[in-house]
């Protein structure tokens, strides 16, 4: 191939150059069939980047002290040089917004464009979770609505009152998502109209629920009181929004807003390894492609590789820098490995991946990106080679034993076990305690009972009493939390806290 | 085709609101940290910003997470030596339990306290919050001598340079409309009649048409005679003279540097004055500071000498008060200045001088000043100067204050007490 002239040779960037690089990157991305939302690339200063960080990367967000805390933390770390500001913040919206920091070199700008504007962007558009759960065209609108609404509430009811409810909602954010029910996308206009409707309807429904006039026909018939809700509800915020007895209408709307935001971020939490791996794979592949064509210099590639390897660096478990598996490393290695399996399969690959060994790598990779989340992706595609390369091993920690045991390592016997263990590790269902709304004492003291179903006998952590306070804050009446192990109540928490004696005597009685 | 936008000129500081919310929420902690910092700082360092540390438990955002226990399987990278079945001693709490996913889930253990930086301005703000020079307001209103002209509406009489053109023309316009109303109405009606005749040929009456046209011409001439502008229309800006409150203030820093003042006591005194100095510079636009140090004789010195000179001797406190009095008389006329005096001493005075001090204070100084603050720096019993001054407190309960500083840790609280904001 005849080498072309490099686009640029220096490290300084200009808008002209950014545009040129973007054109070339876009051309290569198309060559690799990356399907993206339109791109909006914004050049910002480092202070603005810190701002963006502080509001979970969103271009606009309601105000809250915790974002201020986040900001101060970022600022502190940045000033001390603990972290370079990440060179990528990218927003799952249409157009897809990516930020370039003005302090970066031309190489870094090109890297970010390839990584965010084509890597992440195509992931947002292609992956099934995002397709199902997020509506890229309306998120910015919705956030604007949310910001204005919360602003208005602050004016009306005071910052403290709003903060109070937002704090509690933030605490329960991970319990404000639907895992299975599929939402119908709504535009902001519809959203506004529906909000009005909800205000009235909800109050009526509540009156029904909390109706204290005894019902004649039920007398004596149902010996066993029916539970409310009929089935346990795992979306706790949703349950509060609809059923908490004492909340004002605006408070329900705030709950709803935070629930929506949580839902929007839910796919991101389930696809971290894939999303980052995909983006890293593509910046690596696209920029090398440009290098082969002669459009970027050797120096450019050296600098790119330098920051690339910083990003995908994985310290070993015994390294002081170790803080778990680096999702960038795992994702990048797996994506690269899928291409290898397709292009140059070994005997082992043919045994392990008969379907994809030798197939078209680009098709296979796109298929993997579209149809999996971290858990299933690892279960499906983690190869013995990657396990060997990363020297993965699985440790079993059983509280009944005085020691930890090495359950499996990177050998024939261990591959499958390691793979399953790692996949399980990315299952949000395992990572977060499984807590559901179990019962409300509708006819009695209106107390709320939550149930925690222990996973592998794992108890709840130290923050549980704090969490119960937040739940109590939203519910307004007594809150109980039962931790279930082997179908028995293993331990329970109460807010307001119960006297220990009282609890004992109750157990004796029953 | 991507859209590339330069956002650098857009507002940064989008987080300011959130940051302020955070600072507000943890005000209590920050104030405490600032107070600690003030006490620990060296004299020259009080001016920079500060690191604030808040215990993590106070600002944690709880979430549900798994505690320790139960059965876990965790995959780690970088195995070098283990084979299946190896048994490893369980590491102590906190170490090695990073479960890969665990970074986000707050394990509640081994977390660092939250540390962040506030800048110089914020530091001083928290340091001096709710403090002020007492009685400044009273002075401002009662005795200000400077005046400023302030626009206060419009008048119909005035000099040409105060003419308000917009108002005048607007008024002329209104007058013309008002005076021409009935005539213009008539013109409109005549014109309508004329038009009706023209579109309806059968009804066209030449004589009537001519009549109408003449009448219209006549009315138009009349309208044109209305003056474009009349003396009646002219409006002038009205300025009133309002007194400008004087925020000019002078602070006398009077420090005892006699032989009985140990290095430690002097150090405390200096830090007290530095606090005061910073506070004044921050709060008031125009502030003079007069530094006076004394042993047996008093001397007005510059800032550098005040803080760093090592000259010393016996003690005659009255010399300093006399000098203060003279400086006030000479340079700071009472009607223009808010006058404050802060005096620091170990209270050890030459026998018999304390009554002289009392006399100068009561008869010459107290009538002139807004506030006199005395700090006695000693960890021993009160000295004779204190007892003498105690009587003055009774006589001037609002404008004379005294406090004792026993150790470095008292500086800031005492300072706050002396300059606590009082309802005016």
């Amino acid at each position: 191939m005849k080498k072309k002239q490099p686009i640029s040779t220096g490290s300084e960037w200009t808008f002209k150059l950014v545009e040129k690089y973007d054109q070339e990157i876009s051309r290569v991305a198309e060559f690799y069939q990356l399907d993206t939302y339109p791109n909006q690339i914004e050049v910002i200063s480092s202070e603005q980047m810190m701002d963006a960080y502080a509001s979970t990367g969103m271009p606009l967000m309601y105000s809250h002290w915790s974002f201020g805390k986040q900001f101060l933390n970022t600022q502190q770390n940045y000033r001390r040089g603990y972290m370079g500001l990440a060179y990528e913040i990218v927003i799952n919206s249409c157009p897809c917004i990516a930020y370039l920091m003005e302090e970066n070199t031309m190489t870094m700008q090109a890297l970010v464009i390839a990584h965010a504007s084509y890597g992440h962007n195509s992931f947002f558009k292609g992956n099934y979770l995002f397709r199902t759960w997020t509506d890229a065209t309306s998120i910015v609108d919705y956030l604007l609505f949310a910001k204005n609404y919360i602003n208005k509430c602050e004016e009306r009811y005071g910052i403290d009152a709003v903060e109070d409810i937002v704090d509690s909602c933030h605490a329960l954010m991970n319990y404000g998502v639907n895992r299975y029910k599929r939402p119908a996308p709504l535009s902001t206009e519809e959203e506004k109209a529906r909000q009005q409707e909800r205000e009235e309807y909800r109050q009526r429904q509540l009156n029904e629920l909390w109706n204290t006039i005894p019902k004649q026909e039920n007398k004596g018939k149902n010996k066993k009181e029916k539970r409310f809700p009929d089935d346990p509800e795992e979306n706790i915020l949703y349950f509060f929004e609809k059923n908490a007895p004492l909340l004002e209408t605006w408070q329900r709307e705030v709950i709803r807003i935070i629930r929506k935001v949580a839902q929007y971020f839910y796919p991101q939490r389930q696809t971290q390894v894939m999303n980052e791996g995909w983006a890293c794979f593509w910046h690596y592949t696209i920029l090398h492609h440009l290098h082969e064509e002669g459009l970027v210099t050797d120096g450019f590639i050296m600098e790119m590789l330098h920051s690339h390897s910083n990003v995908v660096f994985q310290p070993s478990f015994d390294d002081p820098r170790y803080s778990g598996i680096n999702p960038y490393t795992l994702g990048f290695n797996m994506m690269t490995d899928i291409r290898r399996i397709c292009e140059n399969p070994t005997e082992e690959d043919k045994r392990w991946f008969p379907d994809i060994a030798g197939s078209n790598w680009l098709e296979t990779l796109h298929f993997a990106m579209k149809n999996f989340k971290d858990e299933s992706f690892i279960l499906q595609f983690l190869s013995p080679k990657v396990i060997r390369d990363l020297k993965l091993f699985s440790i079993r920690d059983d509280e009944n034993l005085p020691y930890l045991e090495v359950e499996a390592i990177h050998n024939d016997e261990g591959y499958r076990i390691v793979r399953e263990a790692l996949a399980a590790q990315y299952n949000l269902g395992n990572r977060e305690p499984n807590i559901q709304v179990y019962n409300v004492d509708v006819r009695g003291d209106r107390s709320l009972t939550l149930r925690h179903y222990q996973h592998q006998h794992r108890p709840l952590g130290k923050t549980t009493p704090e969490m119960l306070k937040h739940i109590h804050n939203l519910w307004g009446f007594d809150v109980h939390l039962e931790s279930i192990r082997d179908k028995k109540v293993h331990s329970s928490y109460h807010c307001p806290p119960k006297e220990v004696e009282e609890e004992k005597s109750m157990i004796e009685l029953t | 085709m991507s859209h590339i936008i330069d956002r650098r000129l857009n507002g940064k500081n989008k987080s300011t609101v959130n940051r302020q919310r955070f600072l507000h929420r943890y005000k209590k902690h920050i104030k405490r940290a600032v107070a600690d910092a003030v006490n620990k700082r060296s004299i020259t360092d009080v001016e920079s910003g500060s690191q604030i540390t808040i215990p993590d438990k106070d600002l944690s955002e709880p979430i549900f997470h798994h505690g320790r226990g139960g059965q876990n399987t965790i995959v780690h990278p970088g195995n070098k030596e283990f084979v299946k079945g190896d048994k490893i001693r369980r590491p102590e709490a906190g170490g090695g339990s990073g479960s890969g996913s665990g970074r986000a889930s707050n394990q509640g253990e081994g977390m660092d306290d939250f540390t962040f930086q506030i800048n110089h301005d914020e530091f001083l703000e928290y340091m001096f919050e709710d403090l002020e020079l007492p009685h400044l307001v009273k002075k401002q209103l009662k005795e200000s001598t400077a005046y400023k002209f302030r626009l206060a509406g419009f008048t119909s009489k005035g000099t040409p340079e105060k003419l308000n053109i917009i108002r005048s023309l607007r008024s002329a316009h209104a007058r013309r409309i008002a005076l021409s109303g009935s005539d213009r109405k008539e013109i409109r009606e005549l014109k309508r009649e004329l038009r009706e005749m023209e579109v309806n040929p059968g009804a066209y009456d030449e004589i009537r048409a001519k009549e109408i046209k003449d009448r219209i011409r006549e009315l138009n001439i009349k309208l044109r005679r209305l003056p474009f502008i009349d003396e009646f229309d002219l409006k002038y800006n009205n300025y009133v003279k309002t007194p400008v409150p004087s925020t000019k203030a002078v602070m006398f820093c009077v420090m005892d540097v006699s032989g009985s003042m140990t290095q430690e006591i002097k150090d405390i005194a200096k830090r007290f004055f530095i606090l005061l100095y910073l506070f004044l510079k921050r709060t008031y636009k125009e502030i003079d500071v007069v530094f006076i140090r004394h042993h047996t004789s008093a001397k007005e010195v510059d800032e550098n000498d005040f803080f760093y000179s090592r000259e010393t001797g016996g003690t005659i406190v009255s010399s300093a008060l006399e000098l203060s009095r003279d400086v006030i008389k000479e340079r700071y006329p009472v009607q223009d200045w808010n006058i404050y005096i802060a005096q620091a001493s170990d209270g050890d005075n030459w026998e018999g001088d304390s009554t002289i001090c009392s006399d100068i204070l009561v008869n010459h100084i107290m009538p002139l000043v807004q506030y006199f603050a005395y700090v006695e720096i000693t960890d021993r019993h009160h000295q004779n100067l204190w007892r003498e001054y105690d009587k003055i407190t009774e006589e001037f309960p609002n404008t004379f204050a005294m406090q004792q500083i026993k150790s470095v840790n008292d500086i800031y609280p005492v300072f706050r007490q002396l300059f606590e904001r009082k309802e005016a």
Side-chain angles (χ1 to χ4, degrees), chain B residues 387-399:
Chain B
R387 285 191 292 276
E388 205 60 53
Y389 276 10
D390 218 13
K391 294 176 210 152
I392 303 178
T393 318
E394 282 160 31
E395 211 168 322
F396 302 92
N398 292 319
T399 49

Side-chain angles (χ1 to χ4, degrees), chain A residues 22 39 41-43 48 51 59 64 102 322 390-391 393 395 397 401 404 406 425 456 458-459 461 463, chain B residues 2-3 5 7-8 10 13-15 18 21 63 65 67 71-72 74-76 78-79 85-86 88 90:
Chain A
D22 175 65
N39 272 308
I41 296 169
E42 304 194 355
V43 180
Q48 287 170 320
D51 285 340
H64 191 248
E102 65 171 341
Y322 179 67
L390 293 175
K391 300 189 171 66
F393 66 116
I395 296 249
D397 178 355
L401 299 174
L404 307 177
V406 177
Q425 208 160 296
Q456 294 175 335
R458 298 176 70 182
T463 54
Chain B
S2 304
H3 198 51
I5 303 174
R7 283 262 190 253
R8 286 171 296 178
N10 276 34
N13 303 333
K14 231 160 83 181
S15 303
N18 291 326
R21 294 259 169 103
I63 52 169
H65 65 85
Q71 291 130 27
N72 283 298
I74 300 163
V75 176
H76 294 291
N79 176 25
D86 275 359
I88 308 163
R90 195 187 300 277

Side-chain angles (χ1 to χ4, degrees), chain A residues 296-308:
Chain A
V296 303
T297 61
D298 292 348
F300 177 102
I301 278 295
M302 293 303 286
E303 189 188 342
M304 185 282 275
L305 283 176
H306 176 73
S307 54
H308 172 81

Side-chain angles (χ1 to χ4, degrees), chain A residues 3-110:
Chain A
K3 291 251 174 178
K4 297 178 189 165
Q5 278 296 310
I7 305 171
S8 72
T9 48
S11 65
E12 290 296 307
W13 66 268
T14 63
F15 281 96
K16 264 250 125 38
L17 282 176
V18 168
E19 215 163 280
K20 271 198 191 141
Y21 273 98
D22 175 65
Q23 269 167 19
E24 297 299 338
I25 291 168
S26 164
R27 174 179 58 79
V28 177
E30 208 166 305
F31 172 78
Y32 289 112
Q33 295 162 29
L34 294 182
D35 180 24
T36 57
Y37 293 119
N39 272 308
Q40 181 164 319
I41 296 169
E42 304 194 355
V43 180
I44 61 176
S45 65
S46 58
E47 283 108 325
Q48 287 170 320
M49 187 58 111
M50 288 193 270
D51 285 340
Y53 255 86
S55 51
T56 53
M58 301 311 288
L60 32 90
M61 198 67 172
Y62 51 88
S63 309
H64 191 248
W65 66 269
S66 65
F67 302 141
K69 170 184 158 186
Q70 183 71 40
F71 176 79
L72 287 167
N73 202 13
T74 310
Q75 198 182 34
Q76 183 80 353
N77 286 337
Y78 181 55
R79 283 204 185 139
R80 285 183 184 162
Y82 284 174
M83 62 185 254
L85 282 173
Y87 43 77
E88 48 136 345
I89 279 193
V90 53
I91 294 157
N92 167 23
S93 62
C94 179
C96 178
I97 303 168
Y99 295 129
L100 299 187
M101 216 159 56
E102 65 171 341
E103 286 88 341
N104 284 347
T105 61
M106 189 61 241
T107 307
M108 288 300 284
Q109 310 295 33

Side-chain angles (χ1 to χ4, degrees), chain B residues 233-244:
Chain B
D233 302 326
L234 298 181
K235 294 283 176 280
Y236 300 89
N237 293 332
N238 183 27
Y239 290 101
V240 294
K241 196 173 152 192
T242 46
V244 179

Side-chain angles (χ1 to χ4, degrees), chain A residues 76-274:
Chain A
Q76 183 80 353
N77 286 337
Y78 181 55
R79 283 204 185 139
R80 285 183 184 162
Y82 284 174
M83 62 185 254
L85 282 173
Y87 43 77
E88 48 136 345
I89 279 193
V90 53
I91 294 157
N92 167 23
S93 62
C94 179
C96 178
I97 303 168
Y99 295 129
L100 299 187
M101 216 159 56
E102 65 171 341
E103 286 88 341
N104 284 347
T105 61
M106 189 61 241
T107 307
M108 288 300 284
Q109 310 295 33
L111 178 62
V112 177
I113 293 173
H115 182 94
S117 302
Y118 294 91
H120 283 306
N121 186 349
S122 58
F123 193 87
F124 292 145
K125 194 169 178 193
N127 180 268
Y128 84 102
L129 277 175
F130 288 89
R131 294 182 80 92
T132 316
W133 289 102
T134 66
D135 183 6
T137 52
S138 68
I139 180 65
V140 174
D141 269 2
Y142 185 77
L143 286 178
L144 185 67
F145 158 78
K147 186 184 168 73
N148 289 339
Y149 190 88
I150 290 191
N151 228 333
K152 247 182 18 208
C153 289
E154 283 173 347
E155 275 165 26
R156 255 210 209 150
Y157 309 103
I159 292 175
D160 289 346
V162 177
E163 204 166 75
D164 189 43
I165 199 103
V166 173
D167 280 355
S168 297
C169 291
H170 276 186
L172 285 164
M173 220 167 169
N174 291 346
Y175 294 84
V177 293
N178 292 324
R179 278 157 224 265
Y180 309 108
K181 266 184 258 166
R182 185 192 164 118
L186 277 185
S187 77
T188 318
E189 282 309 306
E190 288 172 289
E191 185 70 46
K192 265 186 201 151
R194 290 255 308 249
Q195 180 207 330
Q196 285 278 320
E197 224 177 288
R198 275 199 303 274
E199 284 192 10
E200 296 156 22
Y201 176 72
R202 202 174 285 148
Q203 204 55 47
R204 255 185 285 141
Q205 225 197 1
L206 274 171
N207 292 344
E208 188 72 21
L209 176 61
W210 297 111
N211 196 352
T212 47
I213 301 168
K215 283 191 184 145
Q216 203 67 42
E217 67 263 37
N218 275 353
K219 232 180 191 174
K221 266 189 204 165
N222 292 358
K223 270 265 162 82
K224 204 176 172 204
E225 193 81 51
K226 246 180 75 177
R227 269 204 341 256
F228 178 82
D230 296 342
D231 299 311
E233 171 64 60
E234 63 168 1
N235 191 334
I236 298 176
L237 284 183
Y238 177 82
F239 182 82
F240 286 168
E241 181 196 329
K242 302 297 179 199
N243 301 306
L246 297 181
L247 292 178
E248 307 265 353
T249 310
W250 67 270
Q251 291 173 317
R252 292 179 207 280
E253 194 64 35
V254 170
I255 295 181
R256 185 180 174 81
I257 285 169
I258 290 166
R259 202 161 66 68
K260 292 268 165 186
V261 172
Q263 190 77 56
Y264 172 80
F265 284 115
Y266 188 54
Q268 313 217 1
R269 294 172 55 224
Q270 294 178 88
T271 53
Q272 211 197 356
V273 170
M274 287 179 74

